Amino acid sequence: MSENGEEKLLAVARHIAKTLGHNNTMSDDIFQILSNFDGRFSRENLSEKGADADSRACAALDHSLKSLDHRISHHVSSDRPIWADAVHAAAFLDAVDELVAAVAEWNHLASDKAVAACLVRAEDMLQHAMFRLEEEFRTLMERGGESFGLTRNGESTEMPFDSEEEDELDDEARNGDEEQIPVALPVTDFDIVIDALPSGTINDLHEIAKRMVAGGFGKECSHVYSSCRREFLEESVSRLGLQKLSIEDVHKMTWQDLEDEIEKWIKASNVAVKILFPSERRLCDRVFFGFASAADFSFMEVCRGFAIQLLNFADAVAIGSRSPERLFRILDVFETLRDLIPEFEALFSDQFSVSLRNELITIWKRLGESIRGIFMELENLIRRDPAKTAVPGGGLHPITRYVMNYLRAACRSRQSLEQVFEEYGLKEYPKLDDRVPSSSSLSVQMDWIMELLESNLEAKSKIYKDPALCYVFLMNNGRYIVQKAKDSELGTLLGDDWIRKHAAKVRQFHVHYQRSSWSRVLGTLKMDSTVSLPPNALAKSMKDKLKSFNTMFEDICREQSSWFVFDEQLREEIRISLEKMLLPAYGNFVARFENVPEIGKHADKYIKYGTEDIQARLNQLFQGSSGNRK
């Protein structure tokens, strides 16, 4: 062992004896123990008479500090970047290492006045060295970004994930100003990682970070790192076209503007969680390799602002208007967050990001509540739709078109909606107790909406004074409902039994229509009451019946030709059923009419319609006017 080393060892032993020996007896015992352990730790060497040894040890420390001060000051006072020269950088780091080691080695002897004085000087030197390291760290970050992660004005700045309408460069840049325009690295897909700094620069940053953490300046290093990287991230975000909007700003936007902003948000969220954040995580882990806490803290500081911006926008959407037309865009936001949750939680898995993870889940659930609220608003819309004005010709009601097309479109996101309704459950719905117990919450929800729609349509049908037109209205809307439900996710949710049941209801409406509209017409063709009449009376009765038939048939055809059946197949089904009902009865009546002797060859004078004429008039039914064919 060198002389300085032995003096240091004796100084440590003397310090122990002084610290533990509260009285002479204890001191004697400690001296004896140390002496038995090593002959150099004799009472003479450790006694107060060895104080000159303490002086020599302090002198050695003082000499070491003076040497380090000269070496460190040479670099700290330099106007040129230290890392411009690899040799100078290595020398500076070596000096810092020695200073940190010296402070650590002598720190436990700080109760000694002479040692304490030296340590104060050492701490001051260390602070100056750390300030210079911080400055060098910042310079490396900035220059590394300029040379590697950014492009200069005049070069291509387009990014594949830019907003479609990219912001133009300002006038100064257009005119050739030399100021750099920072632009995030271009990407073509999500399976990439952006290396925003050259590998050599990252290694240099790691070496500096290692010294700053060892010197107790880890937080300062993290703050410098995060402030530089935030600038890069903010520039990347700006190239995505995403605005910083408050909740109030979002709520004031027109729906068209908000839709556009949601589109940008979806794109930005995917780029952030799949490209930008993983790239920052990778860079942090490399710069702060071996210092997990510093890496986690730095990553959170870099990405927290942008992550909060993304979450705040989603939250503003969630707590905004619950108008039904907003469902589909809110579903987009809900699904985007849901799909990004695993990657987000994996990136922000450290202790510093607990609040971010919790906020993400909270906002995602709030979006689900908003979707549930939108369906409640849809229910209210159906309930409140007034039954004051009849649809001309008994055609399709706008509420039927709206609700059925809305539900069909909504059910394209069936998986997400089932997730929402299973998560938040359902209120008690009346008249749905006969549903299969295994029915999903979403199918019950859809069944309930259909129940409300049908009730609303039944109330609207009562506006029509003519019962036949009432049933035409119900036929039209019932047929449309069945058609839209059939062969779609909506029909799958409602079930085959529901489809069959409602198709049967449409057929029943058809039967009611025929009875209410054509039963009296058929009644005029009945012959039961004329069987026992004398010939003259029979002839008169049949003439009256035929006249009544002609009048009633003409009136019905004239009126119902303005009625409208939207579905061509249904229209044909009604005509065919009318032909099957009318033509045989009419044909039999005409045949008997022609055989009455008192009428005989004058029958043509009274027979206005032949069978083909009847068919032709029936084919003119339900054509409607141009207004109700839309």
Side-chain angles (χ1 to χ4, degrees):
M1 181 179 290
S2 66
E3 184 178 348
N4 284 346
E6 186 167 333
E7 291 295 340
K8 194 179 297 180
L9 181 63
L10 291 174
V12 170
R14 191 176 301 111
H15 178 75
I16 293 172
K18 289 169 63 179
T19 302
L20 300 179
H22 296 301
N23 54 52
N24 291 335
T25 302
M26 291 179 66
S27 296
D28 289 341
D29 292 340
I30 293 169
F31 286 147
Q32 186 62 44
I33 292 170
L34 292 174
S35 177
N36 291 338
F37 175 73
D38 191 316
R40 287 172 297 178
F41 299 149
S42 63
R43 174 180 289 276
E44 181 180 353
N45 285 340
L46 299 179
S47 67
E48 290 297 332
K49 294 178 182 178
D52 58 332
D54 285 351
S55 299
R56 288 197 299 274
C58 286
L61 174 60
D62 180 67
H63 176 75
S64 178
L65 292 179
K66 284 180 179 178
S67 174
L68 287 171
D69 188 20
H70 175 73
R71 290 160 59 191
I72 289 173
S73 297
H74 170 71
H75 295 291
V76 168
S77 61
S78 174
D79 292 334
R80 296 180 66 249
I82 299 173
W83 260 257
D85 187 308
V87 175
H88 288 172
F92 184 47
L93 290 178
D94 288 342
V96 171
D97 287 341
E98 290 180 36
L99 179 59
V100 170
V103 171
E105 188 176 2
W106 286 90
N107 198 49
H108 62 283
L109 298 177
S111 59
D112 184 287
K113 291 183 179 180
V115 173
C118 289
L119 288 176
V120 169
R121 287 170 51 208
E123 290 289 350
D124 185 60
M125 290 166 54
L126 184 61
Q127 190 172 53
H128 282 87
M130 290 298 150
F131 286 160
R132 185 55 192 261
L133 282 177
E134 181 179 327
E135 182 183 330
E136 293 291 323
F137 191 92
R138 186 188 302 277
T139 300
L140 284 172
M141 290 284 294
E142 292 174 348
R143 291 189 175 179
E146 290 172 3
S147 63
F148 196 74
L150 308 174
T151 59
R152 291 181 178 274
N153 179 28
E155 297 178 357
S156 173
T157 61
E158 184 176 354
M159 297 169 61
F161 53 78
D162 276 350
S163 58
E164 292 181 3
E165 293 183 10
E166 184 167 307
D167 295 335
E168 295 182 349
L169 301 178
D170 59 31
D171 291 336
E172 289 184 354
R174 282 179 169 280
N175 295 330
D177 188 86
E178 291 300 321
E179 183 181 356
Q180 292 180 342
I181 307 295
V183 180
L185 287 173
V187 297
T188 56
D189 56 54
F190 292 138
D191 297 324
I192 65 140
V193 174
I194 299 174
D195 273 326
L197 298 172
S199 182
T201 300
I202 294 174
N203 292 334
D204 290 338
L205 292 169
H206 170 65
E207 293 300 322
I208 296 176
K210 185 162 63 173
R211 270 69 180 192
M212 291 187 72
V213 172
F217 281 70
K219 280 194 175 181
E220 288 78 358
C221 184
S222 291
H223 285 314
V224 173
Y225 174 89
S226 58
S227 66
C228 291
R229 291 309 303 163
R230 270 199 303 270
E231 291 180 12
F232 176 88
L233 197 58
E234 287 172 2
E235 183 58 33
S236 300
V237 173
S238 72
R239 302 304 295 173
L240 295 170
L242 196 65
Q243 304 178 59
K244 283 188 177 181
L245 300 168
S246 67
I247 290 178
E248 186 179 2
D249 292 334
V250 173
H251 292 171
K252 285 181 177 179
M253 296 177 78
T254 65
W255 177 235
Q256 181 60 55
D257 289 342
L258 183 55
E259 280 192 304
D260 294 342
E261 205 61 33
I262 287 174
E263 187 67 32
K264 294 176 186 176
W265 178 89
I266 291 172
K267 188 184 296 184
S269 296
N270 278 289
V271 170
V273 177
K274 295 180 179 181
I275 297 177
L276 296 177
F277 291 167
S279 299
E280 293 302 326
R281 177 78 257 186
R282 181 171 179 264
L283 184 60
C284 278
D285 289 343
R286 292 178 67 187
V287 170
F288 295 97
F289 179 75
F291 308 101
S293 181
D296 291 341
F297 179 76
S298 299
F299 172 72
M300 186 274 292
E301 284 288 291
V302 171
C303 299
R304 183 174 179 273
F306 184 27
I308 289 176
Q309 180 183 347
L310 293 173
L311 293 178
N312 283 348
F313 180 84
D315 195 28
V317 171
I319 64 177
S321 168
R322 294 187 174 182
S323 179
E325 72 268 11
R326 299 192 171 212
L327 171 68
F328 306 101
R329 273 308 186 183
I330 294 179
L331 269 170
D332 289 341
V333 177
F334 175 87
E335 290 169 348
T336 298
L337 277 190
R338 178 197 63 200
D339 295 343
L340 293 177
I341 283 174
E343 292 166 278
F344 189 95
E345 290 186 330
L347 286 166
F348 295 92
S349 60
D350 56 82
Q351 58 178 327
F352 303 107
S353 304
V354 173
S355 61
L356 272 182
R357 295 196 300 273
N358 292 341
E359 186 70 5
L360 170 66
I361 298 300
T362 298
I363 292 171
W364 178 63
K365 289 183 176 180
R366 198 170 289 152
L367 285 162
E369 292 170 0
S370 178
I371 291 168
R372 179 68 190 87
I374 286 174
F375 275 88
M376 293 178 67
E377 187 58 34
L378 177 64
E379 294 172 18
N380 292 332
L381 184 150
I382 296 171
R383 287 192 191 96
R384 293 193 300 259
D385 193 62
K388 295 180 180 179
T389 305
V391 176
L396 276 176
H397 197 281
I399 191 69
T400 308
R401 288 182 186 273
Y402 176 79
V403 172
M404 294 310 298
N405 286 301
Y406 186 91
L407 294 182
R408 274 175 63 95
C411 286
R412 295 190 189 111
S413 301
R414 176 180 174 179
Q415 180 182 356
S416 298
L417 291 176
E418 285 182 334
Q419 190 173 10
V420 167
F421 284 100
E422 291 300 329
E423 179 78 20
Y424 301 107
L426 294 163
K427 61 184 181 181
E428 293 299 321
Y429 288 117
K431 300 182 182 180
L432 295 177
D433 297 335
D434 57 343
R435 291 288 297 184
V436 179
S438 60
S439 297
S440 70
S441 297
L442 180 59
S443 67
V444 174
Q445 171 69 51
M446 293 300 168
D447 204 336
W448 172 240
I449 292 176
M450 299 310 300
E451 183 82 12
L452 289 175
L453 178 60
E454 289 175 66
S455 297
N456 183 278
L457 291 172
E458 286 175 11
K460 287 176 166 56
S461 71
K462 293 179 171 55
I463 301 174
Y464 299 100
K465 295 179 181 179
D466 188 332
L469 185 53
C470 165
Y471 289 120
V472 168
F473 173 79
L474 291 174
M475 256 197 298
N476 268 317
N477 289 272
R479 181 65 163 241
Y480 189 82
I481 288 171
V482 171
Q483 280 187 341
K484 286 295 182 179
K486 219 171 172 182
D487 302 324
S488 71
E489 284 293 334
L490 176 59
T492 304
L493 282 168
L494 294 171
D496 292 338
D497 288 343
W498 189 96
I499 299 289
R500 284 192 291 270
K501 175 184 173 182
H502 284 76
K505 287 177 74 171
V506 174
R507 290 193 294 272
Q508 194 63 37
F509 293 144
H510 182 181
V511 171
H512 291 321
Y513 154 74
Q514 287 190 171
R515 288 176 181 171
S516 60
S517 187
W518 295 93
S519 58
R520 288 179 57 223
V521 178
L522 281 175
T524 63
L525 301 177
K526 288 185 178 179
M527 303 296 296
D528 298 343
S529 61
T530 64
V531 173
S532 59
L533 293 176
N536 288 337
L538 176 62
K540 183 178 185 308
S541 175
M542 292 192 72
K543 288 177 185 178
D544 290 342
K545 283 179 176 291
L546 187 59
K547 183 178 179 181
S548 295
F549 171 84
N550 291 339
T551 301
M552 294 175 66
F553 180 74
E554 289 171 357
D555 289 345
I556 290 176
C557 288
R558 183 174 57 255
E559 184 175 12
Q560 295 191 11
S561 63
S562 65
W563 295 1
F564 180 64
V565 173
F566 83 95
D567 182 64
E568 187 174 346
Q569 183 180 346
L570 177 60
R571 194 161 59 236
E572 191 62 24
E573 288 172 5
I574 296 172
R575 288 169 179 165
I576 291 172
S577 67
L578 291 177
E579 287 178 4
K580 288 180 178 179
M581 178 182 67
L582 283 177
L583 293 182
Y586 183 72
N588 291 334
F589 181 89
V590 168
R592 292 189 62 181
F593 185 82
E594 290 175 336
N595 289 329
V596 174
E598 283 71 13
I599 297 176
K601 57 185 177 182
H602 301 292
D604 291 344
K605 179 181 177 182
Y606 302 100
I607 299 173
K608 187 173 183 179
Y609 297 106
T611 302
E612 292 182 356
D613 297 325
I614 296 290
Q615 287 179 310
R617 291 300 299 269
L618 292 178
N619 285 335
Q620 294 173 5
L621 300 182
F622 311 117
Q623 297 295 332
S625 61
S626 59
N628 53 29
R629 291 180 192 179
K630 296 178 180 178

